[in-house]
Amino acid sequence: MDFCLRNKDMTFPISQLDQSVGVAGQPPHDEAEDWTSRHGAELYGIREWGAGYFDVNEAGEVTVVATINGKKISVSLTDIVEGMRERGMEMPVVLRVENLLDDRIRTLNEAFAKAIRDAGYRNVYRGVFPIKVNQQCHVIEEIANFGARFHHGLEAGSKAELLIALSHIQDQESLIICNGYKDSEFIEMGLYAVQMGLKCFFVVETLAEVPIIIERSRTMGVKPLIGVRLKLSTKVDGHWAEDSGDQSLFGLTPSQLIDVVDALKAADMLDSLQLLHTHLGSQIPNIRNIRSGVLEACRYYCSLVEEGAAMGYLDLGGGLAVDYDGTKSSSTHSMNYSISEYCADIVEAVLETLDSNDIPHPVIITESGRATVAYSSLLLFNILDVRQSERVELPKTLPDDTHELIANLKSVLENARVENLQECFNDAVYYRDEIAELFRHGQLGLRERALGDMYHRAVLTKIARLLPAARRVSQELEVLPELLCDIYYGNFSVFQSLPDTWAIDQLLPIMPIRRLDEQPDRQAILADLTCDCDGKIDHFANPNGPLRTLSLHPLVEGEEYHLAVFLVGAYQETLGDLHNLFGDTNVVSVRIHEEGGFEFAREFRGDCIFDVLSYVEYHPQNLLEKFRRTAEKAVQQGQISASVRKSVVDAFSASLNGYTYFER
Ligand SMILES: *Cc1c(COP(=O)(O)O)cnc(C)c1O
């Protein structure tokens, strides 16, 4: 049952459901036991999806945990937010934790190194980070700097990304992998890189690229490094299941592969063909799919060797998943394997296939994007307002001339019992609709209409409260508790900061950053600042299965209530858009120190209104000019004084330089 937040007629505020009702998602909690931080941690499942990077401390605050030289250092998010406040950083903020990014790169490289040692594999692993997953300058710089010790390279899917890669990779052991469509400018740039000694591969995605590569490299006198991207028939589970296998948009078919081989052979360039590339899709939840994909890729690899290609590199693309909901399952938002299992499975499958064909082991490449950056960023925002469900204040008695329909609703309310819930629901809806009909025809006034609505809401509230005791419940009743929950208005834009929650129903862990030693007794959905029905979050990741509402605490007067959305480092930052002209948020990078504590390593101010207006082709100076004229006209007409005009124009000008989000 979908409903629009902005359409006030269709949302039903109701009474808070007391704990005895059993709130969705609450783990069994013995009432006699005091609620502690541990219960808070369990409720939101932070230890399940947090991968050891996030936890809750004794004081009920969410902490970020960095491992430095084997020591675990915890820093409270509340302290970081306080640091932001002191530095004048307004919410919402994307927080990046550099240590976590480093740790992910280390974990992936060490896991492959271990799998290679354990299996006796006779070559190395080289990771590349696909730039499209998070192109932000500082993320790429950190990956390039920290990754250099593992010769971690970059993957580029466009000319712009190639320029980023070329300016960040100096190490001749690290790889630059070029996917995507390549024109001659792209190819020239890559050939210059090869000339300078960089390992820059062109992965052929279409036949049309081959003659350009042959022609350009001959003219420039550079021997290119060439790869071929194959479309695998292996299908994968998860969100992109439909686009996998033979339906995949990308890669060469077997017959196109033969054409590429023949073209290179004819040009006497088969020794340049050194890499096979496959990419099954992103967020592959099921390890079995990965294993089948690797086996299929190995078959192609062996065939290319038989065809006489030089080979030496096997690139298995992305797909390493993130356990967003902490279920450790093969469901779309999760994964049924660990990183070590992923690495061991790949290494063993390659080793077995190639050994049985007597072919030397290639360098194994993967292009993990999501799994590398998801953990290192989180979105922080404050709650601006709450629409509480239970604010229904009914009159003690009804006046004698009250319309019969309202009196009927009142008696439905009084007579509602566990045994007649469905009947009461039907009656309440019927009377409410009748009242609305009479109002439409001018036979009832606004006050009566409002009173009718209040009784209707009160009936639904009572039904929701009695539901758990009912034996059989219809679907329309079952969803009542969710329809009747609170709405927490957050200072953020789903479209700018969490586009995948809107576009592909991505589930992300969301929770308050403090008060976890206090039992949250509200059930809520989140609404953002945009004036859009889709600007909401009403599905929540949880290790016990997805939830339609989120448990939250009531706001405390004079105190900010901050929520964090975790695991947002992959894909969210540049896929976002300017809906309602909410721009980029502030970004802060922190580095946690070995002695404890942290520093604000970098900050980027988000867009101001001036910026977003220029993105949509306004000239803010002209707007100011026009507004000055409007104000002058008001002075001429005697509506404001010249000094008020100054204040008005100053305010307009200050607004242009202000943050696009709600400022306290
Ligand atoms: C998007 C993409 C990736 C990244 O995939 P993840 O699942 O995020 O690791 C890797 N390689 C190619 C070719 C891609 O298009």
Side-chain angles (χ1 to χ4, degrees):
M1 196 176 291
D2 223 350
F3 64 96
C4 174
L5 290 177
R6 311 290 152 174
N7 185 342
K8 305 243 177 354
D9 265 1
M10 291 174 71
T11 54
F12 316 107
I14 58 137
S15 154
Q16 168 188 346
L17 307 173
D18 54 3
Q19 285 305 299
S20 60
V21 158
V23 175
Q26 299 260 9
H29 167 234
D30 182 355
E31 292 294 329
E33 204 185 339
D34 281 339
W35 184 272
T36 64
S37 294
R38 181 176 60 79
H39 297 101
E42 282 168 12
L43 173 64
Y44 298 101
I46 193 168
R47 287 168 192 162
E48 312 303 321
W49 49 257
Y53 297 126
F54 304 104
D55 206 344
V56 175
N57 65 17
E58 295 269 295
E61 297 168 347
V62 173
T63 55
V64 182
V65 186
T67 306
I68 308 174
N69 294 328
K71 272 201 308 205
K72 290 208 181 302
I73 315 291
S74 294
V75 166
S76 161
L77 277 184
T78 303
D79 293 345
I80 295 178
V81 167
E82 179 56 18
M84 289 172 182
R85 197 191 56 78
E86 287 166 352
R87 288 166 178 78
M89 278 263 153
E90 296 268 357
M91 292 287 135
V93 177
V94 167
L95 171 68
R96 297 211 188 100
V97 186
E98 295 184 349
N99 312 64
L100 301 191
L101 185 51
D102 298 352
D103 196 78
R104 295 305 286 175
I105 295 172
R106 178 195 303 284
T107 302
L108 182 64
N109 281 282
E110 288 181 349
F112 264 112
K114 179 171 188 305
I116 281 174
R117 270 197 316 275
D118 290 352
Y121 189 83
R122 293 182 300 282
N123 212 326
V124 293
Y125 167 74
R126 290 283 179 262
V128 292
F129 176 75
I131 296 174
K132 74 153 195 270
V133 182
N134 191 324
Q135 305 96 332
Q136 301 295 316
C137 173
H138 141 246
V139 171
I140 298 297
E141 281 176 8
E142 187 62 29
I143 291 173
N145 289 340
F146 185 84
R149 71 200 65 189
F150 300 109
H151 308 296
H152 209 89
L154 293 170
E155 183 265 356
S158 66
K159 274 189 277 191
E161 291 183 356
L162 176 61
L163 299 189
I164 294 176
L166 291 180
S167 46
H168 284 85
I169 300 287
Q170 279 103 39
D171 175 18
Q172 302 197 348
E173 295 287 305
S174 303
L175 306 179
I176 297 175
I177 304 285
C178 303
N179 290 312
Y181 296 104
K182 294 169 273 294
D183 59 11
S184 53
E185 196 177 34
F186 192 139
I187 286 165
E188 263 171 41
M189 211 55 237
L191 288 171
Y192 283 132
V194 173
Q195 211 166 20
M196 294 189 301
L198 295 175
K199 283 210 174 59
C200 180
F201 278 89
F202 299 127
V203 177
V204 172
E205 304 233 15
T206 62
L207 287 175
E209 287 163 14
V210 181
I212 311 179
I213 296 175
I214 294 174
E215 191 276 323
R216 283 289 86 196
S217 43
R218 279 200 179 135
T219 311
M220 291 172 62
V222 181
K223 186 178 160 199
L225 294 167
I226 301 177
V228 276
R229 177 161 181 180
L230 261 293
K231 195 196 286 258
L232 296 185
S233 56
T234 305
K235 288 190 75 98
V236 297
D237 300 344
H239 182 79
W240 287 277
E242 293 296 307
D243 302 321
S244 66
D246 297 327
Q247 295 306 313
S248 165
L249 286 180
F250 302 101
L252 303 167
T253 61
S255 70
Q256 289 172 325
L257 176 63
I258 291 171
D259 292 343
V260 173
V261 169
D262 290 347
L264 290 175
K265 199 179 275 178
D268 199 18
M269 282 172 70
L270 260 191
D271 57 340
S272 280
L273 179 51
Q274 300 188 11
L275 180 146
L276 173 76
H277 181 283
T278 61
H279 172 66
L280 286 177
S282 197
Q283 183 67 17
I284 301 175
N286 192 343
I287 188 79
R288 288 209 315 272
N289 301 153
I290 290 169
R291 221 178 290 147
S292 337
V294 174
L295 289 174
E296 192 183 354
C298 287
R299 273 297 302 137
Y300 279 109
Y301 186 92
C302 295
S303 313
L304 284 168
V305 171
E306 285 158 20
E307 288 283 332
M311 300 314 285
Y313 296 85
L314 176 61
D315 183 342
L316 298 165
L320 176 56
V322 166
D323 193 4
Y324 289 102
D325 61 13
T327 56
K328 300 180 171 60
S329 69
S330 61
S331 80
T332 306
H333 304 285
S334 186
M335 58 200 282
N336 65 358
Y337 55 94
S338 65
I339 291 196
S340 351
E341 217 178 320
Y342 172 82
C343 299
D345 273 24
I346 287 178
V347 170
E348 284 162 21
V350 177
L351 180 133
E352 282 164 22
T353 323
L354 297 210
D355 276 358
S356 63
N357 287 274
D358 268 336
I359 290 175
H361 299 170
V363 173
I364 294 176
I365 303 165
T366 67
E367 305 176 343
S368 286
R370 183 187 297 280
T372 307
V373 286
Y375 290 94
S376 57
S377 300
L378 42 130
L379 174 72
L380 294 162
F381 62 87
N382 50 335
I383 295 297
L384 299 173
D385 195 13
V386 175
R387 187 134 66 90
Q388 275 197 11
S389 49
E390 82 244 31
R391 287 286 154 76
V392 197
E393 280 173 34
L394 299 170
K396 291 240 154 30
T397 53
L398 293 178
D400 291 343
D401 59 350
T402 301
H403 194 281
E404 190 191 338
L405 288 169
I406 294 173
N408 289 350
L409 269 177
K410 182 169 187 276
S411 66
V412 173
L413 177 65
E414 286 160 0
N415 294 324
R417 263 180 297 283
V418 176
E419 299 75 37
N420 64 0
L421 292 183
Q422 184 69 46
E423 190 186 333
C424 290
F425 178 80
N426 298 344
D427 290 351
V429 171
Y430 174 77
Y431 292 132
R432 197 265 323 252
D433 290 350
E434 287 291 295
I435 290 169
E437 192 60 24
L438 291 185
F439 177 71
R440 239 192 312 270
H441 292 104
Q443 290 161 2
L444 269 184
L446 173 64
R447 286 179 185 274
E448 285 163 303
R449 164 90 215 254
L451 194 57
D453 263 12
M454 273 160 47
Y455 271 107
H456 170 253
R457 206 185 307 159
V459 174
L460 299 192
T461 304
K462 188 168 175 188
I463 294 175
R465 199 178 296 144
L466 295 172
L467 271 184
R471 271 195 294 135
R472 290 185 52 205
V473 175
S474 71
Q475 218 202 336
E476 53 190 352
L477 296 192
E478 206 170 47
V479 298
L480 275 184
E482 284 132 29
L483 285 182
L484 298 171
C485 67
D486 291 349
I487 301 172
Y488 276 54
Y489 292 93
N491 192 9
F492 73 109
S493 158
V494 163
F495 306 94
Q496 176 59 247
S497 299
L498 307 169
D500 280 349
T501 61
W502 166 63
I504 60 169
D505 291 327
Q506 173 72 53
L507 291 181
L508 296 164
I510 304 177
M511 65 186 288
I513 65 167
R514 42 182 291 269
R515 293 172 68 186
L516 295 156
D517 52 354
E518 202 183 300
Q519 183 165 15
D521 59 5
R522 313 295 314 176
Q523 289 301 308
I525 60 169
L526 303 174
D528 76 359
L529 288 177
T530 67
C531 308
D532 193 307
C533 297
D534 284 340
K536 65 177 177 192
I537 303 179
D538 57 3
H539 280 78
F540 302 91
N542 192 280
N544 301 317
L547 301 174
R548 300 282 301 261
T549 59
L550 183 66
S551 302
L552 291 175
H553 305 88
L555 299 193
V556 172
E557 185 75 32
E559 215 177 77
E560 285 282 16
Y561 191 60
H562 290 106
L563 300 188
V565 186
F566 293 84
L567 316 192
V568 298
Y571 299 102
Q572 303 311 290
E573 292 187 44
T574 34
L575 274 180
D577 64 32
L578 290 172
H579 202 19
N580 274 127
L581 298 184
F582 289 107
D584 277 345
T585 65
N586 292 323
V587 180
V588 172
S589 282
V590 300
R591 179 162 286 280
I592 297 173
H593 292 303
E594 188 170 357
E595 318 77 59
F598 57 91
E599 70 179 289
F600 281 68
R602 306 210 203 183
E603 343 179 330
F604 299 91
R605 292 282 156 173
D607 290 323
C608 64
I609 293 177
F610 189 107
D611 298 325
V612 296
L613 291 178
S614 359
Y615 299 155
V616 285
E617 319 298 346
Y618 288 96
H619 297 284
Q621 281 310 335
N622 294 356
L623 295 185
L624 183 59
E625 206 41 55
K626 284 183 191 167
F627 185 72
R628 275 205 194 100
R629 267 180 262 138
T630 308
E632 183 57 29
K633 208 165 150 196
V635 174
Q636 297 307 322
Q637 291 170 346
Q639 281 162 315
I640 57 170
S641 67
S643 68
V644 170
R645 174 186 186 268
K646 178 177 184 312
S647 312
V648 168
V649 171
D650 286 351
F652 189 97
S653 174
S655 267
L656 282 176
N657 293 310
Y659 202 18
T660 59
Y661 295 89
F662 190 96
E663 296 175 284
R664 291 269 198 226

